[in-house]
Amino acid sequence: MLNKFSCGLFTSDIKNGDIEYTNDYVCDVLDYSKGSLIGLKLNLLFSKASLIFLESYLYPMLLKEHEMFEIQLTVLNTKHERIPITANVKIQDDKLYWSIFTAINRDKLYQELLDIRDQLEQQAEILELKATTDSLTSLLNRRAAIFESEKLINQAYRTGSSLSFVMVDIDYFKRINDELGHQKGDEVLVDVGKVLHEVFRKTDVIARWGGEEFMIVLYDTPFDDAQALCQRLHQNLNSIITLNKPLTVSIGVAVCNFGSGKSTDLMSVLAEADRMLYKAKNNGRNRTEMTCYIK
Amino acid sequence: MDNAQLSLTSEDIISRNNVRVTGQGKRTIVLAHGFGCDQNMWRFMWPALEKHFKVVVFDYVGSGKSRLFSYDKKRYQALDGYAQDVIEVCDTLGLEDVIFVGHSVSSIIGMIASQLRPELFSKLVMVCPSPCFLNLGSEYSGGFDKEDLEELINLMDKNYIGWANYLAPLVMGQSHSEELINELSGSFCSTDPKYSKPFAQATFFSDYRSILSKELHPCLILQSANDSLAAVDVGEYMKEQIPNATFEIIDGTGHCLHMTEPDKVLQSMYSFLNIPV
């Protein structure tokens, strides 16, 4: 009677991998003559990818849970053609009890779903990039910078580390735009972005804050280290020559030791870094002014 | 940016990798699961090992009950990132001279870790290892062609239940929220494509044959007599390449000897580690 069902039934031994019983449906689907699968190794029936799947997921799960449902696999017929199947498998006394159904249409449906997912993933990636990046300099934009900085602040509170908040403003940028045109101004902004990437580290937040202003949060960086990094930034930016002079910037820095127990928020620290930036400008530009906002 | 891993405390790493320490022995044994499942794969072996060793089990980030918000796409795209998990777990527990037991790809992960930080390890036990699953012309036969492994990735996708969770954030234009990704499906083998695909790629598309000859720790290679993933030939190749290797074929079938033949695996390990039975 089992030969009349339109589903494949077979058993195999998990210890030696031998097929011990099949109904006719299995032989029909796989193009074997009736009964000829018995004694063969189970591995012969499956594609290589399916074998990895069996070894990495199905068998461990069966040994723990004893039963698995609706597993999608690929079997091979005698001509080595691939046939997608869905299998329910049960293990009892080292015997595997398989019931299988061909799943050609279901497989096509899954494939369509996968293709759509891949498209969605690509679109989401592009959108995320556009939503978080400044299109001119490829630095983080203001919104992404706020999000990332707040994450760093939360981490710093937990670990008691220091963060340095740096505001950078290009000196006399208006002159560059007025005398050389906006295109040249844009080129300078791009070059500054590149130098920021050279000087600061992967773990820092580096953003174009707006116009000719940049904001950087230096990860795990106390006062002296921040000072050294800003000094390097001044030097490296000097390599950009515009209006026949090395480019200069003014920098304001607020350093926060989050291990002190005192609390603050991003906007208050940035206001302090901004205050330092204006101090640097008022003190003659091309310099860094720093403060320990939280000691 | 990769800040997720930089500021982790010891407690963070213990919970990130779902580290579990049991047993009373003076020597420490670290059991590392392979691709697909989690630390529960060792459940048939750890009760016996606890009598002789301090036993450490853990889940790689992206597997089992690891903390998924620590998942870093870049870090886990190659086996070196998983080796970093091993090193950080050892450092966090203050371990030295551990006996590292890796199943399948974890044997290679352990080898990478042991070459980066030799002092952490004393011996390596490799259960069904393969340094490269790819067939590379006439010089090396790992058992699989690139197309097979691409089909595997596709198959994993097709067996993943949880599409709604996976697709919703893409459609909504937001990244995975913490609540959503905090736990895998709950089963101990997960095919969640976000984590298992990079692990599959790191495992099956890599070629770590070149590190074999640099391994200086004594190694025990245990290969299954009938394994469709890591053939006996692959074990023999490893034995030839590793300077101080013992090679044994376990009379068994399949790639999960530690689940199907735990007693035989234990016996071989005890003899390699000079433990009287």
Side-chain angles (χ1 to χ4, degrees), chain B residues 114-177:
Chain B
S114 80
Q115 292 182 16
L116 286 169
R117 294 282 303 280
E119 78 284 4
L120 294 180
F121 302 87
S122 63
K123 289 181 173 179
L124 305 183
V125 177
M126 308 179 178
V127 184
C128 306
S130 172
C132 174
F133 287 91
L134 286 164
N135 294 328
L136 298 171
S138 56
E139 63 167 303
Y140 178 83
S141 187
F144 297 89
D145 293 319
K146 209 158 174 267
E147 300 79 60
D148 298 323
L149 302 175
E150 274 157 7
E151 187 190 321
L152 169 71
I153 306 277
N154 185 272
L155 207 53
M156 280 162 41
D157 269 336
K158 286 177 180 164
N159 278 289
Y160 175 61
I161 309 295
W163 287 88
N165 278 358
Y166 190 84
L167 287 174
L170 288 178
V171 178
M172 310 275 284
Q174 64 188 50
S175 57
H176 284 75
S177 75

Side-chain angles (χ1 to χ4, degrees), chain A residues 218-255:
Chain A
L218 301 175
Y219 175 79
D220 198 11
T221 309
F223 193 96
D224 291 349
D225 295 345
Q227 196 169 32
L229 280 167
C230 290
Q231 215 42 54
R232 230 185 105 202
L233 181 62
H234 282 297
Q235 279 167 15
N236 288 22
L237 284 170
N238 282 172
S239 65
I240 302 172
I241 305 296
T242 180
L243 296 171
N244 300 318
K245 279 188 297 197
L247 187 79
T248 64
V249 295
S250 301
I251 303 176
V253 184
V255 182

Side-chain angles (χ1 to χ4, degrees), chain A residues 15 48 55 72 82 121 203, chain B residues 6 143 151 159 166 253:
Chain A
K15 290 275 182 193
K48 285 194 168 183
E55 295 286 359
Q72 172 111 2
R82 283 154 197 272
E121 265 182 342
T203 47
Chain B
L6 287 175
E151 187 190 321
N159 278 289
Y166 190 84
T253 296

Side-chain angles (χ1 to χ4, degrees), chain A residues 22 30 34 37 45 58-60 70 75 85 128 157 174 176 183 195 197 230-231 251 254 272 284 286:
Chain A
T22 70
L30 299 179
K34 287 187 175 92
L37 279 165
L45 305 189
L58 187 71
Y59 294 158
E70 294 185 51
V75 289
I85 58 150
E128 197 189 334
Y157 272 126
K174 194 172 175 305
I176 301 172
Q183 198 179 336
V195 173
H197 267 304
C230 290
Q231 215 42 54
I251 303 176
E272 194 60 17
N286 190 19

